[in-house]
Amino acid sequence: MTHDLSLGELDAYLFAEGTHHHLWHLLGAHVEEGGVRFAVWAPNAQAVSVVGDFSLWAADAYPMTPDGSSGIWQAFVPDIGEGATYKYEIRDASGVVLPQKADPVGFGSEHPPATASVVRRLGTHEWHDAAWDAPAASAADRPVSIYEVHLGSWRRAEGGRPLSYLEHATALVGYAADLGFTHIEVLPISEHPFDGSWGYQPVGLYAPTIRYGTPAEFAAFVDAAHGAGLGVIADWVPGHFPTDEHGLGRFDGTALYEHLDPRQGFHPDWNTFIFNYGRREVSGYLVANALYWLEEYHLDGLRVDAVASMLYRDYSREEGEWIPNRDGGRENYEAMSFLRQTNAAVGSSGAIIAEESTAFPGVTAGVDRGGLGFDYKWNLGWMNDSLDYFGKDPVYRTYHHNQLTFGITYAFSEKFLLPISHDEVVHGKGSMYGRMPGSHADKLGNLKAFYGYMWGMPGKKLLFMGQEFGQPAEWNHDGELDWGVLQDPGHAGVQSVVRDLNRLYREEPALHARDTDGSGFSWLLVDAVDDQVFAWVRRGDATDPQVVVVLNLTPAPRTGYRIGFPTAGRWVEALNTDSAAYGGGDRGHGGAIETEQVPAGDHPQSALLTLPPLSAIYFVEERS
């Protein structure tokens, strides 16, 4: 059988323009009748061969043919199929044989430390999510509560091995659904050579890591999540790639995917190469990769890692170590253009979330309005201020009052997500439980109050695994979570608080519908500096019950504490972190309170409240 290896005119044009949004249909290894077709981009190579077990890794068996001026080389290898291992052997322009390269668009990989690509068929999983009503993470008026997970260390099987994708499809999916999260977010799933990078130094951008199973089994995990009502988001790393010799670096003997000048093409923090976003084929490769994960694996979104490192040419560089843009500034125009292209191409197909740590303007503004077009931005300013405040002994909190109030001044300048991520429980930072001051009981009380505060504030939510029950130890990617602490009623109480916060958050539109709209939030008590009591109201539409959140962030109980309420009537105590069900002292209001016509603050009605120590209380307006 003869196989036509010529590119179509449209394919060649779109590839050169960087707008081939289904690039994986063109490049990579594709099983066809009688064998496998291979295609790889290496425009500066003198010669390319596909090598593998099928050729005893000899380069002369299957030389590839260049296709015109596209720089794409192709070959057809007969009598092989899925599971075949392969690499590309490339001679550079001067005839020097380079280290054999894995496929930049390979759909599978060998188990590390082996580095060959593996032929994998796409589309072999039979999906059952046709009726999947995604929680629409990109819709700002919907509840979004994300459980961030490192699949290798969430739970281990007997003998210490990580769970597989299929085991996660039952255990992890069931657990996250039971706790009421709307999404699971997995740390980078792309193939990576080094376990200790947690996936943040990817080599196989189109290959789900084989550590936990095959690509089809990863698809089954996503399908199972959808079946349980959970969306799936993956961390995505288009900002840099490792220098491993089998990877993208100096792919055809030239700086093909990266800049040649290390002032633009090498990252000093991570010792990695930086993509050349100004090269159309490279930006197109990355845009297509984002679409690949959403289309082939039905992901509901991507969280883009280290966006600030992409936006600024001087990121982590001293004077003289970077090259200004054409206007003499520090902004990376090419990276900005790439991010806009990605967000425009994805559109409403999935949520694209930026981990962006600066005050760069318009991260979540629409591309048509000059913004970058992200659906959400991690609110790292809120995160830093909040963790610093809660880490203080309560006796000192009065001096840091503004750390809990300042965030509202910019809370609606972007579409924000409130993250307490893996970054906050590594590298000597300890755990969320360990950050809290005081005795064991105080730590638990503080942690429950923190989550009550977090869920009550405007912004979508994200917790890293283990934080939902107050794991005492810092996260260890080589082990598993400390599940045994759930035998302690206090830790089980923290877990129950998170479950009930998620339930309330989903059920009450006031807590999510206006997350990005300042009309959905008002302070009721913001200046009780000496008492460290805070109160605010959340609002949805006019027909939605309002929700009042009250915090007492000292270890002193306060009885008969008057708080103004936005409307008169009965308010149901929907959640109290001091409840006995959460291991607390059960100091509350008997299920509800009635307001009195006594002015307090700016409101003509108020209520006398009992505020347990280190607590958060939610009151939901009762509507007739």
Side-chain angles (χ1 to χ4, degrees), residues 252-294:
D252 62 0
T254 68
L256 188 62
Y257 287 89
E258 72 275 23
H259 286 275
L260 177 61
D261 191 324
R263 292 175 295 175
Q264 298 183 83
F266 188 78
H267 201 297
D269 281 358
W270 303 311
N271 294 319
T272 50
F273 289 127
I274 299 170
F275 285 105
N276 182 354
Y277 305 108
R279 184 161 191 163
R280 285 177 294 190
E281 297 96 335
V282 174
S283 62
Y285 168 82
L286 293 169
V287 172
N289 185 242
L291 293 168
Y292 167 81
W293 290 106
L294 299 174

Side-chain angles (χ1 to χ4, degrees), residues 263-264 307-319 321-336 356-361:
R263 292 175 295 175
Q264 298 183 83
V307 170
S309 75
M310 302 165 66
L311 293 177
Y312 297 103
R313 289 168 170 258
D314 64 345
Y315 186 90
S316 284
R317 299 179 189 272
E318 301 295 332
E319 187 174 349
E321 296 178 347
W322 59 283
I323 299 176
N325 61 35
R326 62 178 177 268
D327 297 317
R330 58 197 286 256
E331 296 81 9
N332 189 329
Y333 294 154
E334 294 80 11
M336 292 163 59
E356 203 286 306
S357 55
T358 74
F360 191 93

Side-chain angles (χ1 to χ4, degrees), residues 317-401:
R317 299 179 189 272
E318 301 295 332
E319 187 174 349
E321 296 178 347
W322 59 283
I323 299 176
N325 61 35
R326 62 178 177 268
D327 297 317
R330 58 197 286 256
E331 296 81 9
N332 189 329
Y333 294 154
E334 294 80 11
M336 292 163 59
S337 176
F338 155 67
L339 292 170
R340 290 182 177 121
Q341 289 174 47
T342 301
N343 289 324
V346 169
S348 61
S349 298
I352 308 297
I353 302 165
E355 184 213 10
E356 203 286 306
S357 55
T358 74
F360 191 93
V363 171
T364 58
V367 171
D368 58 347
R369 294 187 288 119
L372 295 182
F374 284 94
D375 292 292
Y376 297 107
K377 169 180 170 172
W378 276 21
N379 193 337
L380 296 172
W382 170 89
M383 180 271 296
N384 284 317
D385 282 347
S386 300
L387 290 180
D388 190 62
Y389 174 93
F390 271 87
K392 305 288 186 190
D393 187 302
V395 72
Y396 300 115
R397 287 178 177 171
T398 185
Y399 306 108
H400 299 271
H401 185 83

Side-chain angles (χ1 to χ4, degrees), residues 40-48 88-93 96-102 104 241-267 271-276 279 282:
V40 65
W41 180 52
N44 303 300
Q46 184 184 101
V48 183
Y88 297 113
E89 183 163 302
I90 301 172
R91 289 183 180 271
D92 70 13
V96 174
V97 177
L98 304 174
Q100 292 178 348
K101 295 288 189 178
F241 58 93
T243 59
D244 297 61
E245 66 177 13
H246 69 285
L248 298 178
R250 307 296 191 265
F251 189 78
D252 62 0
T254 68
L256 188 62
Y257 287 89
E258 72 275 23
H259 286 275
L260 177 61
D261 191 324
R263 292 175 295 175
Q264 298 183 83
F266 188 78
H267 201 297
N271 294 319
T272 50
F273 289 127
I274 299 170
F275 285 105
N276 182 354
R279 184 161 191 163
V282 174

